[in-house]
Short mmCIF file of all heavy atoms in Angstrom, two decimals:
data_model
loop_
_atom_site.label_atom_id
_atom_site.label_comp_id
_atom_site.label_asym_id
_atom_site.label_seq_id
_atom_site.Cartn_x
_atom_site.Cartn_y
_atom_site.Cartn_z
N TRP A 70 -102.78 78.58 -63.27
CA TRP A 70 -102.10 79.12 -64.46
C TRP A 70 -102.22 78.14 -65.63
O TRP A 70 -102.17 76.92 -65.44
CB TRP A 70 -100.61 79.33 -64.17
CG TRP A 70 -100.30 80.36 -63.13
CD1 TRP A 70 -101.09 81.41 -62.76
CD2 TRP A 70 -99.12 80.45 -62.34
NE1 TRP A 70 -100.46 82.15 -61.78
CE2 TRP A 70 -99.25 81.58 -61.51
CE3 TRP A 70 -97.96 79.69 -62.26
CZ2 TRP A 70 -98.27 81.97 -60.61
CZ3 TRP A 70 -96.97 80.07 -61.36
CH2 TRP A 70 -97.12 81.20 -60.54
N ALA A 71 -102.28 78.70 -66.82
CA ALA A 71 -102.33 77.86 -68.03
C ALA A 71 -100.95 77.28 -68.34
O ALA A 71 -100.82 76.13 -68.73
CB ALA A 71 -102.82 78.68 -69.22
N GLY A 72 -99.93 78.09 -68.20
CA GLY A 72 -98.57 77.65 -68.52
C GLY A 72 -97.96 76.89 -67.34
O GLY A 72 -97.90 77.42 -66.24
N PRO A 73 -97.50 75.65 -67.57
CA PRO A 73 -96.95 74.87 -66.44
C PRO A 73 -95.46 75.08 -66.22
O PRO A 73 -94.89 74.54 -65.26
CB PRO A 73 -97.21 73.42 -66.89
CG PRO A 73 -97.15 73.47 -68.38
CD PRO A 73 -97.61 74.85 -68.80
N ASP A 74 -94.78 75.87 -67.08
CA ASP A 74 -93.31 75.92 -67.06
C ASP A 74 -92.73 76.31 -65.70
O ASP A 74 -91.80 75.69 -65.20
CB ASP A 74 -92.79 76.84 -68.18
CG ASP A 74 -93.55 78.15 -68.29
OD1 ASP A 74 -94.75 78.19 -68.00
OD2 ASP A 74 -92.93 79.16 -68.68
N ARG A 88 -103.03 71.77 -65.29
CA ARG A 88 -102.92 73.18 -65.62
C ARG A 88 -104.32 73.78 -65.74
O ARG A 88 -105.31 73.05 -65.77
CB ARG A 88 -102.13 73.36 -66.92
CG ARG A 88 -102.85 72.84 -68.11
CD ARG A 88 -101.93 72.55 -69.28
NE ARG A 88 -102.75 72.10 -70.38
CZ ARG A 88 -103.42 72.93 -71.17
NH1 ARG A 88 -103.35 74.22 -70.97
NH2 ARG A 88 -104.18 72.46 -72.13
N MET A 89 -104.39 75.10 -65.82
CA MET A 89 -105.68 75.77 -65.89
C MET A 89 -106.15 75.87 -67.35
O MET A 89 -105.42 76.34 -68.21
CB MET A 89 -105.58 77.17 -65.27
CG MET A 89 -106.82 78.02 -65.38
SD MET A 89 -108.35 77.21 -64.85
CE MET A 89 -108.02 76.92 -63.11
N VAL A 90 -107.35 75.40 -67.59
CA VAL A 90 -108.03 75.63 -68.87
C VAL A 90 -109.33 76.35 -68.51
O VAL A 90 -110.24 75.74 -67.96
CB VAL A 90 -108.31 74.29 -69.59
CG1 VAL A 90 -109.15 74.53 -70.84
CG2 VAL A 90 -106.99 73.61 -69.96
N MET A 94 -110.33 82.83 -69.54
CA MET A 94 -108.98 83.12 -70.04
C MET A 94 -108.93 82.95 -71.56
O MET A 94 -108.31 83.76 -72.27
CB MET A 94 -107.96 82.19 -69.39
CG MET A 94 -106.56 82.42 -69.88
SD MET A 94 -105.43 81.14 -69.36
CE MET A 94 -105.27 81.48 -67.64
N MET A 98 -107.84 85.68 -74.40
CA MET A 98 -106.76 85.44 -75.37
C MET A 98 -107.27 85.64 -76.79
O MET A 98 -106.57 86.20 -77.64
CB MET A 98 -106.18 84.04 -75.19
CG MET A 98 -104.97 83.76 -76.04
SD MET A 98 -103.56 84.86 -75.70
CE MET A 98 -102.81 84.06 -74.28
N LEU A 139 -98.79 78.65 -84.46
CA LEU A 139 -97.85 77.63 -83.99
C LEU A 139 -98.29 77.30 -82.56
O LEU A 139 -98.13 78.12 -81.65
CB LEU A 139 -96.41 78.15 -84.01
CG LEU A 139 -95.92 78.78 -85.32
CD1 LEU A 139 -94.42 79.06 -85.26
CD2 LEU A 139 -96.23 77.90 -86.51
N GLY A 140 -98.89 76.12 -82.41
CA GLY A 140 -99.57 75.78 -81.15
C GLY A 140 -101.06 75.94 -81.37
O GLY A 140 -101.56 77.06 -81.55
N ILE A 141 -101.73 74.80 -81.45
CA ILE A 141 -103.19 74.83 -81.65
C ILE A 141 -103.84 73.95 -80.58
O ILE A 141 -104.62 73.04 -80.86
CB ILE A 141 -103.60 74.40 -83.08
CG1 ILE A 141 -102.69 73.27 -83.61
CG2 ILE A 141 -103.58 75.59 -84.02
CD1 ILE A 141 -103.09 72.74 -84.97
N GLY A 142 -103.47 74.27 -79.32
CA GLY A 142 -104.08 73.62 -78.18
C GLY A 142 -105.33 74.39 -77.78
O GLY A 142 -106.03 74.96 -78.62
N GLU A 143 -105.59 74.43 -76.48
CA GLU A 143 -106.81 75.08 -75.97
C GLU A 143 -106.90 76.53 -76.45
O GLU A 143 -107.93 76.97 -76.95
CB GLU A 143 -106.82 75.06 -74.43
CG GLU A 143 -106.97 73.69 -73.83
CD GLU A 143 -108.35 73.07 -74.02
OE1 GLU A 143 -109.30 73.84 -74.25
OE2 GLU A 143 -108.46 71.84 -73.96
N LEU A 144 -105.81 77.28 -76.27
CA LEU A 144 -105.85 78.70 -76.61
C LEU A 144 -105.65 78.92 -78.10
O LEU A 144 -106.38 79.69 -78.73
CB LEU A 144 -104.79 79.46 -75.79
CG LEU A 144 -104.99 79.42 -74.28
CD1 LEU A 144 -103.80 80.05 -73.56
CD2 LEU A 144 -106.27 80.15 -73.88
N GLY A 145 -104.63 78.25 -78.66
CA GLY A 145 -104.31 78.46 -80.07
C GLY A 145 -105.49 78.11 -80.97
O GLY A 145 -105.81 78.86 -81.90
N MET A 146 -106.15 76.99 -80.70
CA MET A 146 -107.26 76.59 -81.58
C MET A 146 -108.44 77.55 -81.44
O MET A 146 -109.09 77.89 -82.43
CB MET A 146 -107.68 75.14 -81.28
CG MET A 146 -108.69 74.58 -82.25
SD MET A 146 -108.14 74.62 -84.00
CE MET A 146 -107.46 72.97 -84.20
N TRP A 162 -99.98 74.57 -86.76
CA TRP A 162 -98.87 73.62 -86.61
C TRP A 162 -98.79 73.20 -85.15
O TRP A 162 -98.95 74.03 -84.26
CB TRP A 162 -97.57 74.30 -87.04
CG TRP A 162 -96.35 73.41 -86.98
CD1 TRP A 162 -96.01 72.44 -87.88
CD2 TRP A 162 -95.31 73.43 -85.99
NE1 TRP A 162 -94.83 71.85 -87.50
CE2 TRP A 162 -94.38 72.44 -86.35
CE3 TRP A 162 -95.08 74.17 -84.84
CZ2 TRP A 162 -93.24 72.17 -85.60
CZ3 TRP A 162 -93.94 73.92 -84.09
CH2 TRP A 162 -93.03 72.93 -84.48
N SER A 163 -98.59 71.91 -84.93
CA SER A 163 -98.50 71.42 -83.55
C SER A 163 -97.56 70.22 -83.49
O SER A 163 -97.09 69.74 -84.52
CB SER A 163 -99.89 71.03 -83.03
OG SER A 163 -100.50 70.12 -83.94
N ARG A 164 -97.30 69.74 -82.29
CA ARG A 164 -96.38 68.59 -82.13
C ARG A 164 -96.99 67.35 -82.77
O ARG A 164 -96.35 66.66 -83.55
CB ARG A 164 -96.11 68.37 -80.63
CG ARG A 164 -95.05 67.33 -80.33
CD ARG A 164 -94.94 67.12 -78.83
NE ARG A 164 -96.23 66.82 -78.24
CZ ARG A 164 -96.81 65.62 -78.26
NH1 ARG A 164 -96.20 64.59 -78.81
NH2 ARG A 164 -98.00 65.45 -77.72
N SER A 165 -98.25 67.08 -82.42
CA SER A 165 -98.91 65.92 -83.02
C SER A 165 -99.83 66.42 -84.13
O SER A 165 -100.48 67.47 -83.98
CB SER A 165 -99.73 65.18 -81.95
OG SER A 165 -100.65 66.07 -81.34
N LEU A 166 -99.86 65.70 -85.23
CA LEU A 166 -100.69 66.16 -86.36
C LEU A 166 -102.17 66.01 -86.03
O LEU A 166 -102.62 64.96 -85.58
CB LEU A 166 -100.35 65.33 -87.62
CG LEU A 166 -101.09 65.78 -88.88
CD1 LEU A 166 -100.70 67.20 -89.28
CD2 LEU A 166 -100.82 64.81 -90.03
N LYS A 167 -102.92 67.08 -86.24
CA LYS A 167 -104.38 67.03 -85.99
C LYS A 167 -105.06 66.63 -87.29
O LYS A 167 -104.93 67.32 -88.29
CB LYS A 167 -104.92 68.39 -85.55
CG LYS A 167 -104.10 69.06 -84.47
CD LYS A 167 -104.82 69.06 -83.14
CE LYS A 167 -103.92 69.49 -82.00
NZ LYS A 167 -102.86 68.56 -81.60
N THR A 193 -97.68 82.66 -82.06
CA THR A 193 -97.06 81.56 -81.33
C THR A 193 -97.77 81.36 -80.00
O THR A 193 -97.71 82.23 -79.12
CB THR A 193 -95.56 81.83 -81.12
OG1 THR A 193 -95.39 83.21 -80.74
CG2 THR A 193 -94.76 81.60 -82.37
N LEU A 194 -98.44 80.23 -79.86
CA LEU A 194 -99.16 79.91 -78.61
C LEU A 194 -98.80 78.52 -78.13
O LEU A 194 -99.66 77.65 -77.98
CB LEU A 194 -100.66 80.08 -78.81
CG LEU A 194 -101.22 81.43 -78.34
CD1 LEU A 194 -102.64 81.66 -78.80
CD2 LEU A 194 -101.11 81.59 -76.82
N MET A 195 -97.47 78.33 -77.95
CA MET A 195 -96.97 77.05 -77.43
C MET A 195 -96.44 77.26 -76.01
O MET A 195 -96.10 78.38 -75.63
CB MET A 195 -95.83 76.54 -78.32
CG MET A 195 -96.30 76.10 -79.69
SD MET A 195 -94.91 75.60 -80.72
CE MET A 195 -94.18 77.17 -81.11
N PRO A 196 -96.32 76.17 -75.27
CA PRO A 196 -95.71 76.28 -73.93
C PRO A 196 -94.19 76.36 -74.04
O PRO A 196 -93.61 75.97 -75.06
CB PRO A 196 -96.13 74.96 -73.26
CG PRO A 196 -96.27 74.00 -74.40
CD PRO A 196 -96.74 74.80 -75.58
N ALA A 197 -93.55 76.84 -72.97
CA ALA A 197 -92.08 76.83 -72.92
C ALA A 197 -91.64 75.45 -72.46
O ALA A 197 -91.92 75.04 -71.34
CB ALA A 197 -91.59 77.90 -71.93
N THR A 198 -90.99 74.72 -73.36
CA THR A 198 -90.46 73.40 -73.03
C THR A 198 -89.07 73.30 -73.66
O THR A 198 -88.72 74.15 -74.50
CB THR A 198 -91.34 72.27 -73.62
OG1 THR A 198 -91.16 72.24 -75.05
CG2 THR A 198 -92.82 72.45 -73.29
N ALA A 200 -88.27 71.44 -75.99
CA ALA A 200 -88.45 71.26 -77.44
C ALA A 200 -88.87 72.56 -78.16
O ALA A 200 -88.68 72.68 -79.37
CB ALA A 200 -89.50 70.18 -77.70
N THR A 201 -89.44 73.50 -77.43
CA THR A 201 -89.91 74.73 -78.10
C THR A 201 -88.94 75.90 -77.90
O THR A 201 -89.15 76.98 -78.45
CB THR A 201 -91.31 75.16 -77.60
OG1 THR A 201 -91.23 75.43 -76.19
CG2 THR A 201 -92.36 74.09 -77.87
N ILE A 204 -87.60 78.27 -80.84
CA ILE A 204 -88.15 77.68 -82.08
C ILE A 204 -88.26 78.76 -83.17
O ILE A 204 -88.10 78.47 -84.36
CB ILE A 204 -89.49 76.98 -81.77
CG1 ILE A 204 -89.76 75.86 -82.76
CG2 ILE A 204 -90.65 77.93 -81.70
CD1 ILE A 204 -90.74 74.83 -82.25
N ASN A 221 -96.52 87.11 -80.37
CA ASN A 221 -96.15 86.05 -79.40
C ASN A 221 -96.77 86.30 -78.03
O ASN A 221 -96.21 87.00 -77.21
CB ASN A 221 -94.63 85.95 -79.24
CG ASN A 221 -94.25 84.87 -78.22
OD1 ASN A 221 -94.99 83.89 -78.05
ND2 ASN A 221 -93.13 85.04 -77.55
N PRO A 222 -97.94 85.68 -77.78
CA PRO A 222 -98.47 85.68 -76.42
C PRO A 222 -98.17 84.37 -75.70
O PRO A 222 -98.69 84.13 -74.61
CB PRO A 222 -99.98 85.84 -76.64
CG PRO A 222 -100.23 85.24 -77.99
CD PRO A 222 -98.93 85.13 -78.73
N GLY A 223 -97.32 83.49 -76.29
CA GLY A 223 -97.06 82.16 -75.71
C GLY A 223 -96.08 82.25 -74.54
O GLY A 223 -96.48 82.34 -73.39
N ARG A 224 -94.80 82.25 -74.87
CA ARG A 224 -93.75 82.39 -73.86
C ARG A 224 -92.53 83.02 -74.52
O ARG A 224 -92.24 82.75 -75.68
CB ARG A 224 -93.35 81.03 -73.27
CG ARG A 224 -94.25 80.52 -72.16
CD ARG A 224 -94.15 81.37 -70.89
NE ARG A 224 -95.02 80.90 -69.82
CZ ARG A 224 -96.26 81.35 -69.59
NH1 ARG A 224 -96.78 82.28 -70.34
NH2 ARG A 224 -96.96 80.89 -68.56
N ASP A 248 -95.78 89.80 -75.98
CA ASP A 248 -96.42 89.93 -74.66
C ASP A 248 -95.60 89.26 -73.56
O ASP A 248 -95.80 89.55 -72.39
CB ASP A 248 -97.81 89.27 -74.71
CG ASP A 248 -98.59 89.46 -73.42
OD1 ASP A 248 -98.77 90.63 -73.02
OD2 ASP A 248 -98.99 88.46 -72.79
N VAL A 249 -94.71 88.34 -73.97
CA VAL A 249 -93.99 87.54 -72.99
C VAL A 249 -92.50 87.53 -73.36
O VAL A 249 -92.15 87.58 -74.54
CB VAL A 249 -94.56 86.11 -72.94
CG1 VAL A 249 -95.84 86.05 -72.14
CG2 VAL A 249 -94.81 85.56 -74.35
N HIS A 272 -97.17 91.13 -70.49
CA HIS A 272 -97.74 89.83 -70.09
C HIS A 272 -99.19 89.98 -69.63
O HIS A 272 -99.56 89.59 -68.52
CB HIS A 272 -96.90 89.16 -68.99
CG HIS A 272 -97.12 87.68 -68.92
ND1 HIS A 272 -96.14 86.78 -68.60
CD2 HIS A 272 -98.23 86.93 -69.14
CE1 HIS A 272 -96.63 85.54 -68.61
NE2 HIS A 272 -97.92 85.61 -68.94
N ILE A 273 -99.96 90.60 -70.53
CA ILE A 273 -101.38 90.83 -70.19
C ILE A 273 -102.31 90.21 -71.23
O ILE A 273 -103.51 90.50 -71.24
CB ILE A 273 -101.73 92.33 -70.06
CG1 ILE A 273 -101.16 93.15 -71.23
CG2 ILE A 273 -101.24 92.91 -68.75
CD1 ILE A 273 -101.90 93.17 -72.48
N ALA A 274 -101.77 89.37 -72.11
CA ALA A 274 -102.62 88.85 -73.19
C ALA A 274 -103.90 88.26 -72.61
O ALA A 274 -105.00 88.54 -73.10
CB ALA A 274 -101.86 87.80 -74.00
N SER A 275 -103.75 87.47 -71.57
CA SER A 275 -104.95 86.95 -70.92
C SER A 275 -104.60 86.49 -69.52
O SER A 275 -103.47 86.13 -69.25
CB SER A 275 -105.55 85.80 -71.71
OG SER A 275 -106.85 85.55 -71.23
N GLU A 276 -105.59 86.51 -68.65
CA GLU A 276 -105.34 86.02 -67.30
C GLU A 276 -106.50 85.15 -66.84
O GLU A 276 -107.58 85.16 -67.43
CB GLU A 276 -105.12 87.17 -66.32
CG GLU A 276 -106.29 88.11 -66.20
CD GLU A 276 -106.00 89.24 -65.22
OE1 GLU A 276 -104.83 89.53 -64.95
OE2 GLU A 276 -106.98 89.83 -64.73
N LEU A 307 -93.25 65.43 -71.52
CA LEU A 307 -93.38 66.48 -72.54
C LEU A 307 -93.22 67.88 -71.95
O LEU A 307 -92.99 68.85 -72.66
CB LEU A 307 -94.74 66.38 -73.24
CG LEU A 307 -94.98 65.13 -74.09
CD1 LEU A 307 -96.41 65.10 -74.59
CD2 LEU A 307 -94.01 65.11 -75.28
N TYR A 309 -95.59 69.74 -70.73
CA TYR A 309 -96.77 70.59 -70.90
C TYR A 309 -98.02 69.74 -70.86
O TYR A 309 -97.92 68.51 -70.89
CB TYR A 309 -96.71 71.42 -72.19
CG TYR A 309 -96.99 70.67 -73.47
CD1 TYR A 309 -98.26 70.70 -74.07
CD2 TYR A 309 -95.99 69.93 -74.11
CE1 TYR A 309 -98.51 70.03 -75.25
CE2 TYR A 309 -96.25 69.25 -75.29
CZ TYR A 309 -97.49 69.30 -75.85
OH TYR A 309 -97.75 68.64 -77.03
P1 NDP B 1 -102.04 73.56 -74.72
O1 NDP B 1 -101.19 72.60 -73.99
O2 NDP B 1 -103.51 73.32 -74.78
O3 NDP B 1 -101.53 73.70 -76.23
C1 NDP B 1 -100.18 73.76 -76.54
C2 NDP B 1 -100.00 73.64 -78.03
O4 NDP B 1 -98.60 73.74 -78.34
C3 NDP B 1 -100.48 72.28 -78.58
O5 NDP B 1 -101.05 72.43 -79.86
C4 NDP B 1 -99.18 71.50 -78.65
O6 NDP B 1 -99.16 70.43 -79.61
C5 NDP B 1 -98.22 72.60 -79.10
N1 NDP B 1 -96.84 72.19 -78.84
C6 NDP B 1 -96.27 71.89 -77.65
N2 NDP B 1 -94.98 71.51 -77.83
C7 NDP B 1 -94.77 71.57 -79.16
C8 NDP B 1 -93.65 71.29 -79.98
N3 NDP B 1 -92.49 70.86 -79.47
N4 NDP B 1 -93.77 71.46 -81.32
C9 NDP B 1 -94.93 71.88 -81.85
N5 NDP B 1 -96.04 72.17 -81.13
C10 NDP B 1 -95.95 72.01 -79.81
O7 NDP B 1 -101.74 74.99 -74.07
P2 NDP B 1 -102.67 76.30 -74.06
O8 NDP B 1 -103.19 76.51 -75.43
O9 NDP B 1 -103.63 76.24 -72.94
O10 NDP B 1 -101.60 77.41 -73.68
C11 NDP B 1 -100.47 77.66 -74.51
C12 NDP B 1 -99.49 78.57 -73.80
O11 NDP B 1 -99.98 79.90 -73.78
C13 NDP B 1 -99.24 78.27 -72.33
O12 NDP B 1 -98.36 77.18 -72.15
C14 NDP B 1 -98.64 79.57 -71.85
O13 NDP B 1 -97.24 79.54 -72.03
C15 NDP B 1 -99.26 80.61 -72.78
N6 NDP B 1 -100.18 81.52 -72.08
C16 NDP B 1 -99.89 82.87 -72.09
C17 NDP B 1 -100.74 83.78 -71.47
C18 NDP B 1 -100.45 85.23 -71.53
O14 NDP B 1 -101.14 86.02 -70.88
N7 NDP B 1 -99.48 85.67 -72.31
C19 NDP B 1 -101.95 83.33 -70.76
C20 NDP B 1 -102.16 81.90 -70.85
C21 NDP B 1 -101.31 81.04 -71.47
P3 NDP B 1 -100.16 69.19 -79.46
O15 NDP B 1 -101.53 69.72 -79.82
O16 NDP B 1 -99.64 68.20 -80.43
O17 NDP B 1 -100.07 68.74 -78.02
#
Side-chain angles (χ1 to χ4, degrees):
W70 295 336
D74 45 328
R88 68 201 182 80
M89 175 50 64
V90 174
M94 179 191 288
M98 186 61 83
L139 309 188
I141 37 176
E143 293 290 338
L144 297 173
M146 187 57 95
W162 182 77
S163 53
R164 187 184 54 80
S165 56
L166 184 63
K167 313 252 170 289
T193 43
L194 263 168
M195 290 177 286
T198 71
T201 61
I204 207 159
N221 179 29
R224 277 292 180 266
D248 185 56
V249 281
H272 201 146
I273 47 81
S275 193
E276 61 180 21
L307 294 174
Y309 76 98

